[in-house]
Amino acid sequence: MTTDYLLHKEVEHVLAALMPQNRLIIRVILRTGMRISDVLELRTDQIKRTGWYTERKTGKRRRYGLDELLIAEILEQAGPVWAFPGRRSGTHKTRQAVWHDVKRAAAAFRLSANVGTHSFRKAYAVGLMERYGDIERVRRNLNHGNTAITAIYAMSDILLQRKLEAKERRRKA
């Protein structure tokens, strides 16, 4: 099942309810559009203003950028090897651990959306579309091979609005 797009206020609610390290991880996704597995595999020595990584899912190279505040917060909690260390020594945090916390946070606010870590990548795409108005630019930024997939991400806010309007029409009927 695919994850849903979250409205800005819903993103803020979920962020507020997350454990601190998980909140930081999600903020990296919101800033960079990276997938959760790629964020978790960042090494401490990769945490800088800009850099390159290879996407785990696609094998494609992708550039990322972090702001100074985010860098400082990541380095403050980073381990000697992994930017987001896990419970066991020498490992990074698992995506399942972050996913469970995101689900818990969404449930705390009784969000009806299917919220997952990928919901924040969709929020990133919507932000890019609002900023640039160029689907091709969003596609390149997300490293998608297909513009149709990018359109689903970048127009998630419009699709959600239509879904909510249809639900309201059915309720009134």
Side-chain angles (χ1 to χ4, degrees):
M1 179 180 241
T2 61
T3 58
D4 293 327
Y5 167 75
L6 297 176
L7 300 170
H8 180 72
K9 68 180 179 179
E10 294 170 328
V11 168
E12 293 302 319
H13 288 322
V14 173
L15 282 173
L18 290 172
M19 299 301 291
Q21 187 184 50
N22 295 333
R23 181 179 315 116
L24 191 54
I25 290 165
I26 297 303
R27 286 178 49 217
V28 170
I29 294 172
L30 288 167
R31 174 69 174 90
T32 64
M34 294 170 81
R35 290 178 181 87
I36 186 67
S37 57
D38 296 323
V39 172
L40 297 175
E41 290 179 0
L42 285 173
R43 295 181 173 270
T44 302
D45 62 3
Q46 288 179 285
I47 304 304
K48 50 191 170 196
R49 288 278 296 154
T50 63
W52 291 88
Y53 70 99
T54 301
E55 292 179 327
R56 176 190 246 201
K57 181 178 179 179
T58 66
K60 297 177 187 175
R61 298 266 297 151
R62 185 165 180 258
R63 189 174 181 95
Y64 66 90
L66 300 170
D67 60 56
E68 295 298 329
L69 177 62
L70 207 47
I71 291 169
E73 290 179 54
I74 294 168
L75 292 176
E76 185 177 309
Q77 59 81 57
V81 176
W82 301 107
F84 299 101
R87 287 185 180 186
R88 294 186 323 197
S89 178
T91 64
H92 60 71
K93 186 157 202 147
T94 67
R95 60 187 177 79
Q96 293 86 352
V98 180
W99 182 85
H100 283 292
D101 196 29
V102 166
K103 288 293 192 184
R104 180 199 54 77
F109 284 97
R110 296 187 175 131
L111 299 180
S112 60
N114 179 26
V115 182
T117 56
H118 217 66
S119 298
F120 303 98
R121 185 165 152 91
K122 290 178 180 180
Y124 172 78
V126 168
L128 285 181
M129 190 65 183
E130 288 173 352
R131 190 173 320 133
Y132 301 118
D134 181 355
I135 193 76
E136 181 59 24
R137 188 169 183 177
V138 177
R139 185 199 65 76
R140 283 191 317 268
N141 191 283
L142 292 175
N143 245 354
H144 283 159
N146 184 330
T147 305
I149 298 298
T150 305
I152 293 168
Y153 281 59
M155 296 180 203
S156 293
D157 58 335
I158 296 166
L159 298 172
L160 175 62
Q161 187 61 40
R162 287 181 182 164
K163 184 176 171 182
L164 293 174
E165 288 169 358
K167 187 176 181 179
E168 182 65 20
R169 280 193 303 274
R170 284 192 304 274
R171 189 185 67 76
K172 288 182 177 179

